[in-house]
Amino acid sequence: MEKNDLKVNTAGLQDNKTIAIIAYLTWIGLLVAFIINKDKQDPFVKFHIRQNLGLFVIGILSGLLNFIPSVGAMISYVVFAILFVLWIIGLLGAFSGKTNPIPVVGPMFQDWFKGI
């Protein structure tokens, strides 16, 4: 029986990693991961949902910078490049099964969206 329990726990961990990875795949993936995890309330998945939600919100706000003539577009491109790197770091964390916050802004995202 113990071997079966171990397999269930491993399968459950793999399932949670899959949901966390889905959270990083566009805003639709974020929404799907949120809905799937609504009943489970898995802390690992919630962590990665909060991380990508923060990146998504910052991305929306930086997109608004495009409306500022000349300087806004340049700042927006720099912010998007930084967000892409942070997104890769978060996605790699979900792949590896770790809950390391994204550098600089990750702890803030965990605080801002702690209700999720």
Side-chain angles (χ1 to χ4, degrees):
M1 270 193 202
E2 292 177 22
K3 291 182 181 179
N4 290 338
D5 291 339
L6 182 61
K7 287 181 182 177
V8 170
N9 291 337
T10 304
L13 176 64
Q14 187 62 34
D15 186 42
N16 292 339
K17 281 175 60 174
T18 303
I19 297 169
I21 292 166
I22 289 171
Y24 285 97
L25 304 177
T26 72
W27 65 269
I28 295 171
L30 184 63
L31 183 61
V32 167
F34 180 77
I35 291 169
I36 291 172
N37 195 49
K38 190 172 184 179
D39 293 330
K40 287 183 170 188
Q41 295 295 314
D42 182 71
F44 176 75
V45 175
K46 288 172 76 170
F47 174 86
H48 285 286
I49 288 173
R50 288 190 294 263
Q51 293 291 288
N52 196 42
L53 180 61
L55 292 175
F56 181 72
V57 168
I58 298 296
I60 296 284
L61 294 175
S62 67
L64 295 175
L65 292 174
N66 282 324
F67 292 108
I68 300 172
S70 60
V71 175
M74 289 188 299
I75 294 171
S76 180
Y77 290 131
V78 170
V79 170
F80 280 129
I82 293 169
L83 285 176
F84 180 71
V85 170
L86 294 176
W87 177 81
I88 294 290
I89 292 169
L91 183 62
L92 291 175
F95 269 116
S96 65
K98 296 180 181 176
T99 55
N100 298 336
I102 295 169
V104 182
V105 292
M108 289 186 289
F109 296 158
Q110 293 302 311
D111 187 46
W112 294 348
F113 304 115
K114 62 185 166 198
I116 291 176

